[in-house]
Amino acid sequence: MRLLGQEDKETLAMALDHSGQRATPQRETVFGVLLDQRDHPTADEVYARTKSRMPTISMATVYNCLETLVSSGLVKQVNIEREPTRYCPNLAPHAHFHCRDTGRVYDVPVPEGMMKDLAKVLPGEYSADSVELVFRGHLAKEKTK
Amino acid sequence: MRLLGQEDKETLAMALDHSGQRATPQRETVFGVLLDQRDHPTADEVYARTKSRMPTISMATVYNCLETLVSSGLVKQVNIEREPTRYCPNLAPHAHFHCRDTGRVYDVPVPEGMMKDLAKVLPGEYSADSVELVFRGHLAKEKTK
DNA sequence: ATTTGACTTAGAATTATTCTAATTCAGTAT
DNA sequence: ATACTGAATTAGAATAATTCTAAGTCAAAT
Ligand SMILES: [Mn+2]
Ligand SMILES: [Mn+2]
Ligand SMILES: [Zn+2]
Ligand SMILES: [Zn+2]
């Protein structure tokens, strides 16, 4: 467990302020949880991890904080097939890989500009502001843990 | 409303048989509903449309039929952001466009082989058996109905 | 110090989907 | 033809992630 660094705290404060919201201990802790372990946790998992750092936090607050972070643009929601929503603090354009064996979700870096280029397949009348690319399959040798 | 053509019925029977399941009036009707109006309906919508052709069908059966069709490979599920699952009988590799204004989902044809090529961004240890590409944004002039 | 509105919280409500258990049905065996 | 068997259908209950509600807490601003 590592607390939010000064830099991350700045980023958070800026982004929250920019979207008219306040920095709070709960929001900082939840954000720290996401930055600390980038395995695309669900709200439940975020709750468990946050609770170990801030035992009084509630599930409702975790949902509220996650929503706040998403609306401020610092965190992205990742939805995979009806499963509980996962949360990803990786702001770089990237794809996701969903392992059918373990259910884990991995970030997949993509070449600079590729995500944007994908939108070129769209006919003229469509204008996309987000592009989502998800692979599903298996890992050769599963990362243990 | 148009009933299942002989050709579609064959396709259905083959695919069901291949996955060890039977062709039934309910399954044929649900499949027909999907083929008839390719707007990625939700289970609720499929239920309403099917009910008008077969008033005695139940919601449970619609879910069962949809699951059967998916498991037989004739229909794909399309999940967009926590919304109810949608169903798509378009078997060609294609992308989806989700309109933020109307919530409607459109098929987007992609160049031959492109979906497969996307998997080339994956590091060696990943092996993908499915690739999903979803755009989100707006349509210049919304298709009226 | 008071006020104000944002934030947090526990628990209730919602809702798409899945499950359960009881029929109905179609095909096969007798 | 009749009986048997497992698959398919059905109504309704159960589930579970998320959202909502309403009451309390808190911190900045007056
Ligand atoms: Mn795996
Ligand atoms: Mn639109
Ligand atoms: Zn990610
Ligand atoms: Zn489609």
Side-chain angles (χ1 to χ4, degrees):
Chain A
M1 204 254 272
R2 175 186 54 67
L3 273 76
L4 266 200
Q6 195 52 42
E7 191 184 354
D8 293 331
K9 242 176 189 161
E10 290 272 315
T11 310
L12 176 61
M14 293 290 281
L16 286 175
D17 190 65
H18 184 271
S19 64
Q21 302 178 292
R22 297 181 189 162
T24 68
Q26 287 85 351
R27 287 169 181 176
E28 286 177 3
T29 308
V30 167
F31 189 42
V33 161
L34 292 179
L35 292 181
D36 246 35
Q37 202 177 333
R38 293 156 168 273
D39 57 352
H40 303 88
T42 63
D44 262 346
E45 289 163 346
V46 173
Y47 177 53
R49 293 175 197 179
T50 307
K51 207 149 212 277
S52 79
R53 304 183 187 189
M54 178 181 270
T56 59
I57 200 168
S58 71
M59 188 74 223
T61 299
V62 168
Y63 270 107
N64 289 341
C65 290
L66 289 170
E67 165 56 28
T68 298
L69 293 171
V70 168
S71 74
S72 78
L74 288 178
V75 169
K76 296 270 179 291
Q77 293 185 316
V78 181
N79 288 293
I80 304 271
E81 302 195 328
R82 295 271 98 210
E83 289 178 11
T85 297
R86 294 158 178 282
Y87 295 86
C88 173
N90 179 355
L91 297 183
H94 64 281
H96 288 115
F97 182 89
H98 183 228
C99 174
R100 288 191 197 279
D101 300 326
T102 63
R104 287 209 268 258
V105 173
Y106 300 92
D107 277 353
V108 176
V110 298
E112 170 74 20
M114 185 183 114
M115 293 305 268
K116 230 175 206 166
D117 285 349
L118 288 178
K120 289 180 181 160
V121 305
L122 289 172
E125 65 267 32
Y126 297 85
S127 140
D129 53 61
S130 97
V131 181
E132 195 181 297
L133 179 59
V134 179
F135 299 98
R136 198 162 299 107
H138 301 280
L139 263 86
K141 31 180 184 181
E142 194 67 34
K143 278 168 190 157
T144 325
K145 177 56 187 311
Chain B
M1 204 254 271
R2 175 186 53 70
L3 274 75
L4 265 200
Q6 194 53 42
E7 192 184 352
D8 294 331
K9 244 178 188 159
E10 290 273 315
T11 310
L12 176 62
M14 293 290 280
L16 286 175
D17 190 65
H18 185 271
S19 64
Q21 302 178 290
R22 297 180 190 163
T24 68
Q26 288 84 353
R27 287 168 180 176
E28 286 176 4
T29 308
V30 167
F31 189 41
V33 161
L34 292 179
L35 292 181
D36 247 36
Q37 202 177 330
R38 292 157 168 273
D39 58 352
H40 304 86
T42 63
D44 262 346
E45 289 163 346
V46 173
Y47 177 52
R49 294 176 197 177
T50 308
K51 206 146 213 271
S52 77
R53 304 183 186 188
M54 179 181 269
T56 59
I57 200 169
S58 71
M59 188 74 221
T61 299
V62 168
Y63 270 107
N64 289 342
C65 289
L66 289 170
E67 165 56 28
T68 298
L69 293 170
V70 169
S71 75
S72 78
L74 289 177
V75 169
K76 297 270 179 292
Q77 294 184 315
V78 181
N79 288 293
I80 303 270
E81 304 195 324
R82 296 270 96 212
E83 288 178 14
T85 297
R86 294 159 178 281
Y87 295 86
C88 173
N90 179 356
L91 296 183
H94 64 280
H96 289 115
F97 182 90
H98 181 230
C99 174
R100 289 191 196 278
D101 300 326
T102 63
R104 287 209 269 259
V105 174
Y106 300 92
D107 277 353
V108 177
V110 298
E112 170 74 20
M114 185 183 114
M115 294 304 270
K116 228 174 207 166
D117 284 349
L118 288 178
K120 288 178 182 161
V121 305
L122 288 172
E125 65 267 32
Y126 297 85
S127 139
D129 53 61
S130 98
V131 181
E132 196 181 297
L133 179 59
V134 179
F135 300 98
R136 198 162 297 107
H138 301 280
L139 264 85
K141 33 183 182 173
E142 193 69 34
K143 277 168 190 157
T144 326
K145 178 60 183 309

